[in-house]
Amino acid sequence: MTLQPYDRGVLAVQRGAFEEAREQLELAGPDDRALLLLGQLASSGHGEPADPVRARGLYERAAELGNAEAAHNLGVLYATGLGVAQDQAAALRWYQRSAELGSVPALRMVGLMYGTGQGAPVDQDEAERHWRMAAAAGEAQALHDLGTLFGYHKVDLPEAASWYLEAAKAGIEAKRELTLLAPKLRMPASVDRRARTMLGVIRAFHLEDPAGGVKLLAVSADEGDPVAQRTLGYLVQHGIGATKDDLRATALYQAAAEAGDPLAAFNLGVLSGETDEAVHWLRQAAEAGVTEAYPRLGDRLSERDLDEEALQWYVRGAEAGDKGSMFAAACWYRDGFGGPIDLVQALRWYLAMLNVGSGDGIHEAHAIVPRMTADEIHEAGRLSGRLLEADLFVLRQASPSAASD
């Protein structure tokens, strides 16, 4: 399979050859990806004056073909009035269409539109529903949105604290919000276990009062709260605000894990070293979606010669963006561990490491591309989102001087 017009257009964009890119993308015909990229070029004005009206038409054609990003971009155009008359109701409809087509950012935007009454009357229940779906799909900012919803509209302070804490864990700034919540939680914390646990977590990790957090968490942990047990276990394990005690930490993690807390299961799996117990707990965490457990479980399974399952978890870790998992998966596909040799998948994951800022796979990539066809190399580039780098490998192989480089 030779490069198709869309692929040639992508390569031209990556090289900055925008006129060539437009020519190739036009040749792609009714390809939603090509129409989306043409719309983005028209919107940004690369190589020609920006033309939001033309961009809108291209996005509409792409959206009609089922492109979620194009529908999202139409929502942005109608919300801001670029290339169209500003129309919040139309913006909401396009965001909804984008969400239906699978766009996670659009789910959050629908929530914002309902939450603020743009394009439709304020509907906090609809806002919550969309933000919960967005958060579950990995949209970190939706975690903060939910914190604000419960902190200031639905007024459930422990629930607000829980979402703000999740937002902070995901890298979204929430220290101010948590600092403001802490004094409001003191009164309910005296009678409500969840409020006490949330206040304990905030004090331990966000108000520089780990000893105060330990006191609150110990009470909730004794009452069987798995979040308190897991958090207290972490503080005790690391001697933060409490005497370091691995045995107590293990007991706390186990109580929380047995109650179904996946993060406690992960911590317990790590503490269990290379034992069979570690495999049990890491598998529980991994199956619950704790991404940090994927490569560790792969390692433990590999030690037991359970290579097929180990490769599956390395691939899960790679898909979640873990560079160590990417490297492991690439090497295993290269060498045929856990399944047949697959150089396309091997090169895919070596190249994908560039997406997370690591060039550690490039040396290995150079070693395998001489064993691959141009089509295989390009396919690995498509799968990894690094088509330009893959094409450079192809051009290098075709060069008469390649063997002497």
Side-chain angles (χ1 to χ4, degrees):
M1 181 189 299
T2 58
L3 283 176
Q4 298 300 305
Y6 169 73
D7 298 317
R8 292 196 292 269
V10 170
L11 284 170
V13 169
Q14 292 175 341
R15 296 189 184 108
F18 299 115
E19 184 175 349
E20 177 190 346
R22 288 185 179 85
E23 291 174 358
Q24 292 297 329
L25 293 169
E26 292 286 358
L27 290 173
D31 182 318
D32 65 289
R33 303 166 303 163
L35 292 166
L36 169 67
L37 189 47
L38 281 167
Q40 291 168 330
L41 290 172
S43 178
S44 62
H46 283 309
E48 66 178 7
D51 188 345
V53 174
R54 181 166 181 264
R56 182 198 67 196
L58 290 161
Y59 289 150
E60 286 176 347
R61 289 169 61 195
E64 288 169 0
L65 293 170
N67 191 288
E69 188 174 351
H72 185 280
N73 290 352
L74 284 165
V76 174
L77 291 183
Y78 278 100
T80 58
L82 289 174
V84 294
Q86 190 173 35
D87 185 337
Q88 298 299 338
L92 175 57
R93 288 195 298 272
W94 279 114
Y95 285 138
Q96 288 171 323
R97 178 57 179 152
S98 180
E100 290 169 359
L101 291 169
S103 169
V104 175
L107 282 171
R108 178 181 177 247
M109 289 307 302
V110 174
L112 284 173
M113 300 289 278
Y114 277 116
T116 55
Q118 299 181 70
V122 170
D123 188 332
Q124 301 296 354
D125 290 335
E126 276 297 293
E128 178 186 349
R129 185 171 74 86
H130 284 86
W131 283 333
R132 282 185 180 275
M133 289 191 291
E139 178 60 57
Q141 194 63 52
L143 301 167
H144 193 282
D145 297 329
L146 285 161
T148 301
L149 175 69
F150 285 102
Y152 296 95
H153 301 286
K154 294 199 169 186
V155 194
D156 181 337
L157 299 185
E159 184 75 2
S162 176
W163 287 112
Y164 280 137
L165 287 167
E166 288 299 315
K169 192 187 303 180
I172 304 299
E173 178 56 49
K175 184 174 180 62
R176 177 179 176 276
E177 290 82 354
L178 290 167
T179 300
L180 291 172
L181 261 181
K184 299 177 183 178
L185 285 167
R186 286 177 190 149
M187 183 66 71
S190 63
V191 294
D192 182 82
R193 187 179 74 184
R194 189 159 188 246
R196 186 190 313 118
T197 297
M198 293 299 102
L199 182 56
V201 176
I202 292 170
R203 290 179 67 172
F205 293 99
H206 298 276
L207 297 184
E208 301 178 359
D209 181 18
V214 165
K215 290 179 182 178
L216 291 165
L217 291 166
V219 176
S220 291
D222 287 343
E223 293 179 359
D225 185 336
V227 174
Q229 291 167 337
R230 179 238 302 160
T231 309
L232 182 59
Y234 178 88
L235 294 169
V236 169
Q237 179 189 354
H238 297 281
I240 302 172
T243 302
K244 180 176 170 59
D245 186 338
D246 281 352
L247 288 176
R248 186 184 177 202
T250 298
L252 286 162
Y253 286 148
Q254 183 155 349
E258 289 175 347
D261 188 286
L263 292 175
F266 171 72
N267 291 343
L268 191 55
V270 173
L271 267 180
S272 300
E274 299 179 3
T275 65
D276 290 342
E277 192 79 356
V279 175
H280 168 76
W281 293 116
L282 288 171
R283 185 179 278 115
Q284 177 175 315
E287 289 175 349
V290 178
T291 57
E292 296 90 338
Y294 300 161
R296 288 182 179 269
L297 178 57
D299 292 343
R300 299 290 81 80
L301 293 168
S302 174
E303 292 162 359
R304 289 157 176 77
D305 294 325
L306 299 171
D307 291 344
E308 186 174 349
E309 186 184 356
L311 177 58
Q312 291 172 4
W313 288 112
Y314 286 139
V315 171
R316 289 278 296 275
E319 291 169 344
D322 178 71
K323 68 178 181 180
S325 296
M326 292 178 188
F327 190 79
C331 291
W332 281 42
Y333 277 121
R334 177 196 65 194
D335 298 331
F337 291 153
I341 291 173
D342 188 334
L343 295 184
V344 170
Q345 290 297 326
L347 182 58
R348 169 195 183 174
W349 291 118
Y350 285 137
L351 290 175
M353 294 176 71
L354 296 170
N355 296 332
V356 293
S358 174
D360 292 345
I362 292 300
H363 177 75
E364 284 72 16
H366 275 284
I368 65 172
V369 291
R371 299 156 54 191
M372 302 174 66
T373 67
D375 286 346
E376 289 173 333
I377 296 169
H378 280 137
E379 179 62 14
R382 292 187 192 93
L383 292 171
S384 63
R386 309 297 301 200
L387 189 57
L388 178 60
E389 288 80 4
D391 194 55
L392 290 174
F393 278 127
V394 171
L395 293 173
R396 184 175 182 274
Q397 289 212 136
S399 170
S401 61
S404 61
D405 286 349

